[in-house]
């Protein structure tokens, strides 16, 4: 950028992005100047997208290796090993949720900043288009009035003043002044082509920005919903919900890396433009508008002369001379030729309207208005726009990290849920002490043939015969635990009293105890019963 330019200063992050290596698809370094029409420069931006694609492939490869190790490794599933795994899954879910919330907040801010910057750009483009359209309208209107209206009035006055040579000479002089004004108007640049291009660029930019903003809004909402549903699946221990969220998590991970590549390429390309925007604009307007005119509007310094000063001054002098001539003819010729008053007044009105158009044209052609629109557009693009795109890059990175953590946590949680269900299914359905069996028995009262270790119809006797016997009076010392029970108002404990008589529920047996009992031989059981009776 030129050293005399002090109004616009590119922000530091554009210089940082501008210094990114620019490499084409043949891995050759190229110039980092903003040249979007060149193939090598386009390939350098595509290369940044390929870097993001390589990051996505590496991420998916690491996830695949992790899931393969998780499926192939058989770890000990005892109770001591389950607790730390549950803690790991819980903290992983919390971490993924926090990172997702931070990423969504950053994404909303970046999306809003980018939208504000693009809106400021399109607003400035529409203002410039309106200014150029006003200039073109004033020039066309002034030239039309000079060619048609003034020519008709002068033709009729020439017939009226045919007998007065001095008046006819004055009319010829006014015609020369009108031709001179038209010549100066033709010397002004034709803004019609530039006006159409700016309007088309503004419309396309506004449409693209609307769909970009809407797309990112949907992505942000989708990320938040997937994170919430994944946390809900972990809390409810729903395997089908976790599986569904895992599939959507992979799709969101791919989407995050894709958006990161697009945003990074956009940020680098825009930063290349923001480093030297005047150079690119002057190259684009070459052959359409003069370089001195573009330089005048881009820099708008007091030391620069207005390239329209000379034609506007000639325009003003010609109008002043013509008004003086018309005023003299109204004063001296109308008393002699009353029919000429109408045409003279018409010429005076036309000259007054042309003078008003001249003042408006002078104001529109001043560099301060267009330069302000130019600076507003640069601030919108290079400050708000690039900053917002950088925040969107940060959002994509955080979202990719969050969903990577989530995809690592969901298979562990799914495996723990499967282990719990398998342990629960290992319990014998025919065990009367199994809560599931008692629940089935309560729902099906017709099932009476239930085998049990403690049968109510046992041959040992009825329930009434199993009431505890009256305690025998003895001088033996009372056991310590019986003394403690009596002290606290309770009854002594009878360890050898059957459970039915005590009104207590039957004991429950764990699978390990039941397996031990079933592994005993008949002789061991008989020996154990004799010892118990003794």
């Amino acid at each position: 950028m030129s050293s005399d330019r002090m109004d616009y200063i590119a922000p530091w992050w554009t210089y940082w992005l501008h210094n990114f290596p620019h490499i084409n698809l043949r891995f050759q370094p190229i110039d980092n100047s903003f040249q979007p029409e060149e193939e090598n420069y386009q390939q350098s931006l595509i290369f940044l997208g390929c870097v993001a694609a390589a990051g996505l492939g590496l991420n998916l490869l690491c996830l695949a290796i992790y899931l393969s190790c998780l499926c192939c490794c058989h770890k000990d599933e005892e109770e001591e090993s389950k607790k730390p795994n549950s803690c790991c899954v819980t903290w992983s879910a919390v971490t993924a949720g926090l990172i997702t919330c931070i990423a969504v907040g950053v994404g909303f801010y970046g999306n809003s900043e980018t939208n504000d910057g693009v809106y400021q750009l399109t607003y400035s483009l529409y203002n410039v288009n309106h200014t150029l359209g006003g200039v073109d309208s004033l020039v066309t209107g002034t030239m039309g009035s000079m060619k048609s209206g003034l020519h008709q009035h002068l033709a009729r006055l020439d017939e009226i003043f045919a007998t007065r040579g001095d008046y006819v000479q004055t009319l010829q002089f006014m015609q020369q002044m009108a031709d001179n004004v038209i010549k100066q108007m033709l010397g002004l640049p034709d803004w019609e082509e530039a006006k159409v291009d700016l309007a088309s660029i503004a419309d396309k930019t506004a449409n693209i920005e609307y769909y970009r903003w809407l797309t990112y809004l949907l992505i942000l909402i989708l990320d938040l919903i997937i994170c919430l549903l994944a946390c809900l699946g972990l809390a409810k221990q729903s395997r089908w919900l976790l599986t569904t969220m895992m599939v959507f998590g992979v799709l969101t991970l791919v989407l995050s890396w894709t958006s990161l590549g697009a945003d990074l390429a956009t940020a680098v390309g825009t930063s290349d433009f923001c480093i030297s925007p005047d150079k690119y604009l002057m190259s684009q307007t070459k052959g359409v508008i003069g370089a001195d005119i573009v330089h005048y509007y881009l820099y708008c310094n007091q030391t620069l002369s207005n390239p329209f000063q000379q034609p506007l001054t000639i325009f003003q002098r010609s109008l002043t001379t013509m008004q003086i001539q018309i005023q003299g003819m109204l004063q001296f010729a109308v008393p002699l030729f009353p029919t000429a008053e109408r045409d003279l007044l018409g010429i005076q009105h036309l000259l007054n309207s042309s003078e008003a158009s001249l003042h408006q044209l002078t104001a529109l052609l001043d560099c301060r208005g267009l330069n302000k629109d130019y600076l507003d557009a640069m601030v919108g693009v290079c400050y708000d726009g690039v900053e917002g795109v950088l925040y969107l890059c940060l959002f994509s990175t955080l979202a990719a990290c969050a969903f990577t953590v989530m995809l690592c946590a969901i298979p562990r949680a799914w495996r723990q849920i499967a282990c719990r269900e398998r342990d629960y299914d290992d319990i014998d359905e025919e065990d009367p002490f199994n809560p599931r069996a008692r629940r089935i028995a309560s729902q099906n009262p017709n099932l009476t043939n239930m085998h049990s270790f403690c049968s109510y119809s046992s041959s040992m006797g009825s329930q009434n015969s199993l009431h505890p016997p009256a305690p025998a009076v003895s001088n033996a010392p009372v056991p310590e635990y019986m003394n403690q029970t009596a002290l606290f108002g309770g009854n002594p404990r009878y360890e050898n009293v059957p459970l039915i008589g005590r009104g207590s529920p039957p004991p429950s047996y764990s699978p390990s105890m039941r397996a031990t009992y079933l592994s005993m031989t008949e002789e061991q059981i008989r020996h154990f019963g004799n010892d118990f009776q003794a």
Side-chain angles (χ1 to χ4, degrees), residues 209-222:
E209 170 57 22
Y210 171 74
Y211 289 109
R212 186 211 63 80
W213 174 84
L214 183 61
T215 301
Y216 265 100
L217 183 64
L218 295 177
I219 291 175
L220 292 169
I221 296 175
L222 179 64

Side-chain angles (χ1 to χ4, degrees), residues 129-145:
N129 184 69
H130 178 72
T131 300
L132 298 182
V135 170
D136 184 72
S137 177
L138 289 174
V139 171
T140 303
T142 302
M143 292 176 59
S145 62

Side-chain angles (χ1 to χ4, degrees), residues 346-409:
I347 293 176
Q348 187 180 37
H349 177 71
L350 188 149
L351 294 176
N352 290 334
S353 62
S354 298
E355 186 176 9
S357 298
L358 174 63
H359 293 308
Q360 296 179 12
L361 187 61
T362 303
L364 291 176
L365 290 176
D366 187 76
C367 67
R368 288 173 292 182
L370 290 176
N371 182 258
K372 180 181 181 301
D373 293 331
Y374 167 71
L375 293 179
D376 290 342
M378 289 298 99
V379 170
V381 173
C382 302
Y383 281 82
D384 295 338
V386 177
E387 182 185 6
V389 173
L390 285 178
Y391 277 109
L392 289 178
C393 292
L394 180 59
F395 153 72
S396 300
T397 304
L398 291 176
C401 294
F403 283 101
T404 300
V405 174
M406 183 182 299
L407 291 175
C408 291

